[in-house]
Amino acid sequence: MEIIIGKTAGFCYGVERAVNGAKEQQTRNEKTYCLGEIVHNKNVVNDLKNSGIEFIENIEDAKGLTIIRAHGVKKEIYDKAKEMNIEIKDLTCPSVLKIHRIVAEFAEKGYYIILTGKKNHPEVIGIESYCGDNYVIVYDEGEIEEAIDIIKSKNIENVLLISQTTYSSKKFDKIEEIIKEKIGDDINIEVKKTICPSTEIRQKETEDIAKQVDIMVIIGDRKSSNTNKLYDISCEFCNKVLFIGNAEELNLEELKDAKKVGIMAGASTPKDDIVNVKNKILGVSEYV
Ligand code: SF4
């Protein structure tokens, strides 16, 4: 059986930076808190928990230095931490911080913001807090009509179309096309395709591999937005796709008729998980 592993599978630079930053903090022997999951991967979170980091859901529960996760938090959290005199170690990915800056700048200029992304995703919740009052979140083409009705009914002159970092590149292009077509030339539309390069390259590679193999194996956490996208893309181009959290969840029976297997992993999936899946398929008993 041939196995193709994506070159871009596993940690992106933002996740690597956040996880290394948290580990480095641990070497200081100082009680450390982390607000929410640092990345969407329970193995990574459990490792950090075991090393002593306390994960909290509310900034009010912090009693010392607090880490901000890779996909950022709401603006209000920084104000609250300041009020509580809590030191923040901000490990928000620079690509996410860039979106915060852009939406804040355009909201200030009075633009109506259309944000493509998933409602209630932590990254989107953070971005929303910088958008002011005039914005809408659009998940797919089916939700564009509502956004266009709002724009027309409010006589809006300027619109910013922007995206969550892990949104599908193809879906964004389609949404841009539909919005431009429906809104016409009377309204000024600024487009900022802020899907992070690492996400775009990974999605492209997933498509390329999915087209060549009998089965695609996607490794990552169900809560990870970018991993879910890899699963969706694989389903478009490959007849059989397995979504697993780690090697233990892989049922080898599912692979028994495959000649070529593709492996891809989300941006928050550790390298060890990928190696373990490969080894299990190859019948190598050693686990990392
Ligand atoms: S997926 Fe992109 S935006 Fe998100 S942490 Fe990784 S590099 Fe940053």
Side-chain angles (χ1 to χ4, degrees):
M1 180 194 292
E2 187 184 343
I3 300 176
I4 305 176
I5 303 178
K7 291 188 185 70
T8 55
F11 281 6
C12 59
Y13 82 92
V15 168
E16 186 107 47
R17 179 179 169 273
V19 173
N20 288 345
K23 284 183 180 162
E24 192 261 337
Q25 181 58 34
Q26 276 312 81
T27 61
R28 298 187 188 179
N29 258 341
E30 189 183 333
K31 178 69 187 168
T32 302
Y33 297 81
C34 182
L35 188 57
E37 292 184 338
I38 188 157
V39 297
H40 285 143
N41 187 285
K42 61 175 185 295
N43 298 338
V44 174
V45 171
N46 285 340
D47 280 354
L48 291 171
K49 260 186 201 163
N50 293 337
S51 76
I53 292 183
E54 186 171 333
F55 285 80
I56 52 172
E57 288 306 318
N58 302 302
I59 188 69
E60 286 79 5
D61 296 327
K63 293 182 184 66
L65 187 138
T66 301
I67 288 170
I68 301 291
R69 64 184 173 216
H71 280 161
V73 291
K74 287 198 272 192
K75 187 167 70 165
E76 294 79 5
I77 301 287
Y78 295 95
D79 301 336
K80 186 71 194 167
K82 207 169 176 185
E83 200 183 300
M84 292 167 64
N85 215 10
I86 293 287
E87 193 185 341
I88 290 288
K89 184 172 176 118
D90 195 353
L91 297 177
T92 307
C93 176
S95 298
V96 177
L97 289 174
K98 186 174 135 194
I99 300 177
H100 292 179
R101 280 197 297 275
I102 295 173
V103 294
E105 183 196 321
F106 279 80
E108 179 76 30
K109 288 198 267 184
Y111 277 64
Y112 185 82
I113 297 168
I114 300 177
L115 170 64
T116 57
K118 194 170 182 201
K119 285 182 190 116
N120 295 325
H121 183 278
E123 182 193 335
V124 172
I125 292 173
I127 297 171
E128 278 182 86
S129 70
Y130 291 86
C131 287
D133 296 327
N134 289 317
Y135 73 94
V136 65
I137 300 165
V138 169
Y139 181 64
D140 57 25
E141 291 157 51
E143 294 178 5
I144 300 174
E145 282 303 331
E146 196 190 330
I148 289 171
D149 287 348
I150 297 171
I151 290 165
K152 287 188 173 163
S153 68
K154 288 189 172 179
N155 292 324
I156 285 160
E157 290 173 359
N158 294 301
V159 172
L160 169 69
L161 174 64
I162 193 162
S163 176
Q164 175 182 7
T165 56
T166 50
Y167 197 68
S168 150
S169 178
K170 280 190 178 169
K171 264 165 86 172
F172 185 88
D173 293 343
K174 188 75 198 153
I175 285 175
E176 178 185 349
E177 191 189 311
I178 298 172
I179 288 179
K180 284 187 169 166
E181 191 186 297
K182 297 216 169 184
I183 278 183
D185 294 332
D186 297 342
I187 298 171
N188 167 42
I189 308 173
E190 291 278 344
V191 179
K192 303 277 181 194
K193 192 174 179 183
T194 43
I195 296 165
C196 90
S198 141
T199 301
E200 268 200 280
I201 295 166
R202 189 188 307 261
Q203 288 175 357
K204 178 74 185 73
E205 192 184 22
T206 302
E207 179 179 327
D208 291 345
I209 296 175
K211 282 175 179 166
Q212 305 170 45
V213 298
D214 306 306
I215 297 185
M216 271 303 271
V217 179
I218 304 295
I219 316 165
D221 199 292
R222 280 271 172 198
K223 277 194 269 177
S224 158
S225 163
N226 77 86
T227 314
N228 276 292
K229 296 280 176 340
L230 302 183
Y231 175 78
D232 293 344
I233 291 168
S234 300
C235 291
E236 257 184 74
F237 300 101
C238 183
N239 288 334
K240 189 165 180 182
V241 185
L242 308 177
F243 193 150
I244 56 169
N246 52 37
E248 275 114 71
E249 289 180 18
L250 177 67
N251 177 2
L252 289 175
E253 271 296 296
E254 302 263 22
L255 306 180
K256 71 177 188 328
D257 298 325
K259 290 194 174 65
K260 244 186 192 182
V261 175
I263 298 179
M264 266 311 268
S268 44
T269 305
K271 196 161 176 258
D272 290 356
D273 287 355
I274 302 167
V275 173
N276 286 341
V277 169
K278 184 189 87 178
N279 285 354
K280 184 165 178 177
I281 296 173
L282 292 174
V284 178
S285 56
E286 275 169 38
Y287 277 47
V288 182

